[in-house]
Amino acid sequence: MRRRRSTELTLTIAGPVILLLVWEVLSRTETINPLFWPPPSSLWETTKTLFLEKDLLGDIGISLYRIIAGFLVGTVPGIALGLVMGLFWPMRIFLMPLASAIYAVPKIAVLPLVIIMFGIGELSKIMIVAISIFFLVALNTMSGVLAIDTQFRDVARNLGASRWELFWTVALPGSLPAIFTGMRLSLGFALVVIVGTEFLAADKGIGFMIWQSYQTLRIQQMFVGLVITGIMGWALTLLLDLIEQVVVPWRTAGEEA
Amino acid sequence: MPSPYSMVNKRINTPTVMAYVKGTSQSSAHDSPPRQPALVKSRTVDSGARVVARNVGRRFTTASGSVDACVDIDLTVEPGSFCVVVGPSGCGKSTLLRMVAGLDHPTTGTLDVSRLDGRAPTNAMVFHGRTLFPWLTLQQNVAYGLKLSGMDRNARLARARELLGMVGLVDFQRAWPHQVSEGMRQRTSIARALAVNPDLLLMDEPFGALDEQIRYLLQEELLRIWERTGKTVIFVTHSIDEALILADKIVVMSAHPGTIREVIDVPFPRPRFMTEVRSDPAFADLFTTAWSILREEVETGGAFTEGTA
């Protein structure tokens, strides 16, 4: 068991390390153009400079703020709507075409509309994230409710559960795994949308920083932005995993003797 | 037919009983002295619900027409007795049980569940398959019905612990259902139903998914629990064998539509032990009687030909 774990760890780290090594070698030998593909080792200095002399931390902070705020604004009503759609079939039938259609629209396409509605300030950035994940969370929550075995409802009713108790003790906990799946997908969406939004309509944030670096041909700086975006996504997913372990302990608990 | 109320526990020193007592750990050892007199009392005073079905039928209407799950069910289950329903697949056994539980309603006839003292009877069902809530620990699962009834947290968890002790699972109270074996899950389901102290215990093939040895153990465990608590039990199964070991009365049902073909009284004395029941010559006779009826039903009822087609 322990051996398996150490092998897993090695393999996990090996992927990125090999990629970086190959990149480094190709770049240093000028097999690929170092102007566009600067060697990864050179990014370190750039990162330090960005943190110390430019406000990279501020860029990261504002992007994280937009993602998390938008995530909350989108997720909470999304879960609520999903539960309603899952529990009441007329609502499901009524809202389904709308939800599917809106869900299919590329979210960045509604940015102009969002700016018209919410202005060019922070609110529009938060709202574009919220809007893009709202239906994703709602539809996942709904399918989570629908996937709950009807026997659980029978058990609860047989033991005297009211409608309200049925909701709190069966529908909600039963759909939590699906809700978390929806949130995990949403996190990816949120990151894509916020970077895109910051490309187009922001004067701060990690997306803005990447776009500006590209326009001024500071390629190394651009790469730093990309790496940081990746790390942000990874860290947010990790955070969500930790929350899931607390909220949905039965799904994450391993086998016992 | 001997009265199910007889509590002559002359076999207290037999190995079977000892094994059982050992298997249920410390809680039964602590509780048994005060429990005994209380039990005798609960048995002499009426406990358990009476179920009376008159011409009960249930028709399901679907887009492709209507199907009678069961028709003309006439059945009386006396308070405190153990009634086992056997029949081929699709004979409406589960439908009948759901109607008794109040989860479904007859489309014809009347179904009456009552207590002799006039109070409203309670029932709890042990469902077929995996029905422990995956999001609750074994202890929380057992405490679930008590939570709904408004018992405070500490009291209900203590009661759940006691019941898990009765089915030998105290050490697993904090485990999640997916972490324990099918047999343990099924015992927990039984404990969950017993926790609310129902007058009527309804069991829908509770041991269906278990291997034979575990089945034997749980059948005896169930008998011991039933003997102590005096509840009315309606138990649905495929197995004639299981029916003969558990029942006071076996209801044999026919398929398509499900109705009662025969009611067989099972005369073995209580408390029952499966080795004794199995070695009783009457066991073979009753098995033959029940099987000859069922065989006819399975063959003519279409279940057999459908199943092999």
Side-chain angles (χ1 to χ4, degrees):
Chain A
M1 206 55 206
R2 182 168 295 164
R3 227 180 118 186
R4 166 81 192 264
R5 278 200 77 91
S6 70
T7 314
E8 271 176 21
L9 194 67
T10 315
L11 285 173
T12 310
I13 299 170
V17 168
I18 290 171
L19 180 76
L20 289 174
L21 274 177
V22 170
W23 179 358
E24 182 84 28
V25 170
L26 290 179
S27 178
R28 295 242 177 241
T29 57
E30 302 201 357
T31 317
I32 53 176
N33 191 340
L35 201 60
F36 301 129
W37 300 94
S41 59
S42 74
L43 296 180
W44 186 240
E45 277 305 310
T46 320
T47 313
K48 259 193 342 205
T49 323
L50 282 172
F51 268 117
L52 295 175
E53 288 163 26
K54 306 243 175 100
D55 192 19
L56 181 57
L57 213 57
D59 283 324
I60 296 173
I62 193 80
S63 292
L64 278 178
Y65 164 71
R66 288 163 182 164
I67 291 172
I68 293 173
F71 190 77
L72 291 177
V73 173
T75 303
V76 174
I79 292 172
L81 181 74
L83 288 170
V84 168
M85 286 173 74
L87 292 169
F88 305 107
W89 68 265
M91 288 300 276
R92 183 159 65 244
I93 308 280
F94 176 63
L95 289 169
M96 206 50 199
L98 215 61
S100 315
I102 297 176
Y103 171 62
V105 174
K107 298 307 166 307
I108 204 78
V110 295
L111 183 61
L113 189 62
V114 172
I115 291 175
I116 291 169
M117 286 173 72
F118 300 103
I120 52 165
E122 285 310 302
L123 186 61
S124 60
K125 275 122 197 138
I126 291 168
M127 288 313 290
I128 184 79
V129 172
I131 290 168
S132 32
I133 65 171
F134 175 75
F135 285 104
L136 188 65
V137 173
L139 292 178
N140 262 284
T141 305
M142 182 194 79
S143 59
V145 175
L146 294 176
I148 298 172
D149 196 328
T150 54
Q151 291 237 54
F152 293 137
R153 196 193 55 201
D154 285 343
V155 172
R157 275 174 59 205
N158 181 237
L159 292 170
S162 64
R163 285 196 86 119
W164 191 238
E165 285 165 334
L166 218 53
F167 172 79
W168 280 108
T169 62
V170 178
L172 190 63
S175 53
L176 273 178
I179 290 176
F180 270 90
T181 305
M183 292 206 284
R184 203 182 306 279
L185 294 171
S186 297
L187 216 46
F189 261 67
L191 207 62
V192 169
V193 165
I194 207 62
V195 169
T197 304
E198 288 172 350
F199 275 11
L200 295 166
D203 53 10
K204 208 161 173 31
I206 201 75
F208 168 75
M209 181 268 206
I210 293 171
W211 190 251
Q212 204 195 29
S213 307
Y214 154 72
Q215 294 216 307
T216 52
L217 264 175
R218 296 196 187 103
I219 300 299
Q220 287 179 325
Q221 204 170 303
M222 188 191 77
F223 270 110
V224 172
L226 290 179
V227 171
I228 285 177
T229 311
I231 293 173
M232 272 164 57
W234 171 77
L236 287 170
T237 310
L238 203 68
L239 183 68
L240 195 64
D241 283 347
L242 288 175
I243 296 171
E244 183 174 11
Q245 271 174 33
V246 175
V247 180
V248 197
W250 66 91
R251 187 155 82 153
T252 40
E255 299 293 314
E256 203 172 85
Chain B
M1 192 183 106
S3 157
Y5 299 96
S6 60
M7 275 292 291
V8 197
N9 213 340
K10 59 183 188 235
R11 292 181 187 78
I12 196 72
N13 286 322
T14 64
T16 336
V17 173
M18 291 317 287
Y20 170 72
V21 169
K22 207 168 121 209
T24 54
S25 79
Q26 71 277 42
S27 72
S28 70
H30 287 162
D31 297 348
S32 46
R35 186 178 279 167
Q36 286 298 346
L39 273 173
V40 175
K41 204 171 113 211
S42 79
R43 295 221 124 190
T44 43
V45 176
D46 154 63
S47 80
R50 163 179 277 150
V51 180
V52 181
R54 288 286 161 262
N55 290 317
V56 165
R58 177 69 171 95
R59 171 171 288 187
F60 290 100
T61 312
T62 62
S64 54
S66 55
V67 182
D68 285 310
C70 38
V71 293
D72 291 335
I73 306 271
D74 273 298
L75 178 68
T76 303
V77 182
E78 293 300 334
S81 72
F82 202 124
C83 171
V84 175
V85 181
V86 286
S89 302
C91 72
K93 307 185 290 271
S94 298
T95 308
L96 180 62
L97 214 58
R98 288 175 59 84
M99 289 191 293
V100 176
L103 292 169
D104 199 351
H105 298 285
T107 40
T108 54
T110 56
L111 184 58
D112 189 43
V113 183
S114 61
R115 283 173 53 103
L116 295 186
D117 62 8
R119 287 198 290 123
T122 54
N123 77 73
M125 184 140 160
V126 178
F127 291 80
H128 175 61
R130 295 191 169 194
T131 58
L132 288 182
F133 299 117
W135 49 86
L136 300 180
T137 62
L138 298 194
Q139 188 182 25
Q140 291 166 336
N141 261 289
V142 175
Y144 180 78
L146 301 170
K147 184 183 177 183
L148 295 180
S149 69
M151 190 187 269
D152 83 78
R153 193 183 141 80
N154 287 333
R156 68 179 187 249
L157 289 180
R159 173 89 181 116
R161 202 185 139 81
E162 196 180 301
L163 277 148
L164 281 171
M166 193 163 81
V167 294
L169 288 175
V170 159
D171 295 341
F172 295 90
Q173 56 180 339
R174 287 195 181 81
W176 301 104
H178 77 267
Q179 294 174 317
V180 300
S181 72
E182 187 61 40
M184 289 169 162
R185 281 195 285 269
Q186 212 47 259
R187 271 142 80 185
T188 310
S189 301
I190 295 169
R192 177 170 67 183
L194 289 170
V196 295
N197 197 22
D199 302 312
L200 174 61
L201 186 60
L202 303 165
M203 307 181 87
D204 189 2
E205 294 185 47
F207 306 145
L210 303 175
D211 68 62
E212 200 176 29
Q213 288 116 50
I214 301 288
R215 254 176 113 108
Y216 289 166
L217 290 177
L218 289 191
Q219 284 163 1
E220 288 216 324
E221 210 163 286
L222 175 64
L223 280 175
R224 299 299 86 84
I225 291 167
W226 172 73
E227 281 155 9
R228 280 185 307 189
T229 54
K231 299 178 188 314
T232 310
V233 180
I234 303 181
F235 186 108
V236 163
T237 180
H238 281 294
S239 162
I240 300 172
D241 209 79
E242 187 162 78
L244 286 168
I245 285 158
L246 299 173
D248 291 319
K249 189 156 91 171
I250 299 177
V251 174
V252 184
M253 288 185 70
S254 67
H256 305 299
T259 192
I260 295 174
R261 263 293 309 267
E262 191 89 41
V263 177
I264 302 172
D265 284 325
V266 182
F268 306 120
R270 306 272 187 188
R272 263 184 214 169
F273 296 90
M274 89 158 43
T275 43
E276 291 172 18
V277 173
R278 282 173 184 283
S279 52
D280 195 313
F283 182 85
D285 292 340
L286 285 169
F287 185 93
T288 312
T289 314
W291 173 234
S292 57
I293 303 166
L294 264 178
R295 175 181 192 141
E296 208 178 292
E297 285 307 323
V298 175
E299 283 176 353
T300 59
F304 182 62
T305 39
E306 271 169 29
T308 52

